[in-house]
Amino acid sequence: MGKIAFLFSGQGAQYSGMGRELTEASAAARELFQLADRLRPGTSSQCFEGSKEELTQTKNTQPCLFCVDLAAALALEEQGVRADGAAGFSLGEMAALTFAGMLEQEAGFSLVCQRAALMDDAARQADSAMAAVLKLDNQTVEGLCGRFQQLYPVNYNCPGQLVVAGLREEIEALGPLVKEAGGRMVPLAVSGGFHSPFMSAAAESFRRELEPLSFSPGRIPVWANLTAKPYHQGEAKALLASQMESPVRWEQTLRNMAAEGFDTFIEAGPGKTLSGLVAKTLPQASVYHVEDAKTLETTTKAVLEE
């Protein structure tokens, strides 16, 4: 086995009941949720019992996902599975940085709450949305977006999958063009046009929130969405703020990690979205995920026995 990477899920992966089994199976996960409930009362109940509509609201989605992502990674580590590096998709990058020790848990969670409020407010300023365009190459999708005034290619997920953000009416108008080009479009369960100019005001406010914080070097490297390269000392604040209004270079991140010797990827958090992106980008890689007691057990056993 080469190096092991923990990958942290982003918005769109949330579902009611997420995280409950992790708190039952792991003391570290349980302590994290207790911390979250002290800082933001009701976080656990939102994760465990919240409705789909409630969990889709960005102000709720991000704190809840952060907790489940980080809880899954802490539970894995508690079982003896060690990560050599990490990356997180959008919101997941905050969990990755916290897991790596660049931020303390309390600071990481508080920062996520601030980020969520800013992005939620920005999303309300325009009727924006996101959709994944499948089965087309990036250049074709970029060309289609160029035919609209406020439509942007934002998440470069894997070969044949590029997420776009834009005004809802323009995304709806894009659908027939995608079909005509031989592709397929799938709306995403998010509340705004993230990683695009729609988030510029939120990104600027977030820069001010980040200014007084101190980031530690971290115990493992974390790959940044913005650059697809590991964070270096002193650049965390700039990267995190710009990430909100810039494309996520996920496919390139995975390829860069593979070039550094990573061949085992474990998705920490709800769902298997990132696992699928790894499989499509790096078909030779070993891919696992952890989101509940069963996947914690099976993944731990598989990885430790390799």
Side-chain angles (χ1 to χ4, degrees), residues 23 32 51 57 78 238 283:
T23 65
L32 174 67
S51 67
Q57 297 176 39
E78 200 174 48

Side-chain angles (χ1 to χ4, degrees), residues 90-112:
S90 189
L91 174 275
E93 190 163 304
M94 298 295 300
L97 292 169
T98 305
F99 176 75
M102 292 178 67
L103 285 168
E104 296 292 333
Q105 288 184 9
E106 182 172 339
F109 183 75
S110 297
L111 193 58
V112 165

Side-chain angles (χ1 to χ4, degrees), residues 8 57 139 147 160 166 172 182 186 196 246 263 266 268 271 286 301:
F8 295 82
Q57 297 176 39
Q139 189 173 8
R147 297 167 64 173
E172 292 173 354
V186 180
S196 76
S246 304
D263 63 2
I266 306 175
S286 297
K301 182 178 180 181

Side-chain angles (χ1 to χ4, degrees), residues 90-270:
S90 189
L91 174 275
E93 190 163 304
M94 298 295 300
L97 292 169
T98 305
F99 176 75
M102 292 178 67
L103 285 168
E104 296 292 333
Q105 288 184 9
E106 182 172 339
F109 183 75
S110 297
L111 193 58
V112 165
C113 292
Q114 294 169 339
R115 181 182 189 271
L118 291 170
M119 293 179 74
D120 187 69
D121 182 64
R124 295 175 189 277
Q125 304 309 310
D127 188 16
S128 58
M130 301 178 77
V133 178
L134 312 176
K135 300 183 178 180
L136 297 178
D137 61 70
N138 292 342
Q139 189 173 8
T140 298
V141 179
E142 291 165 350
L144 292 176
C145 288
R147 297 167 64 173
F148 295 86
Q149 293 298 312
Q150 290 183 281
L151 202 54
Y152 310 96
V154 292
N155 297 345
Y156 290 77
N157 288 350
C158 69
Q161 186 178 137
L162 175 52
V163 171
V164 300
L167 292 175
R168 191 175 303 276
E169 62 182 28
E170 293 195 347
I171 284 185
E172 292 173 354
L174 176 67
L177 299 181
V178 168
K179 185 176 181 180
E180 183 181 330
R184 186 163 66 92
M185 197 169 80
V186 180
L188 300 188
V190 296
S191 60
F194 305 131
H195 300 290
S196 76
F198 290 104
M199 294 293 118
S200 293
E204 186 56 39
S205 296
F206 198 51
R207 286 187 180 90
R208 293 193 290 271
E209 298 287 353
L210 287 163
E211 194 52 42
L213 294 182
S214 296
F215 286 78
S216 300
R219 56 196 175 99
I220 57 173
V222 177
W223 270 253
N225 288 178
L226 188 68
T227 63
K229 298 177 181 179
Y231 273 80
H232 294 296
Q233 187 69 18
E235 64 181 9
K237 296 176 185 179
L239 289 179
L240 280 176
S242 295
Q243 185 237 49
M244 295 168 64
E245 57 180 340
S246 304
V248 174
R249 300 177 61 200
W250 191 251
E251 179 184 343
Q252 191 58 53
T253 295
L254 295 178
R255 294 192 186 282
N256 289 349
M257 294 182 83
E260 293 294 325
F262 287 87
D263 63 2
T264 301
F265 295 83
I266 306 175
E267 179 173 4

Side-chain angles (χ1 to χ4, degrees), residues 19-27 29-30 48 293:
R20 182 194 297 273
E21 289 190 16
L22 290 172
T23 65
E24 296 169 351
S26 164
R30 193 159 52 250
F48 304 161

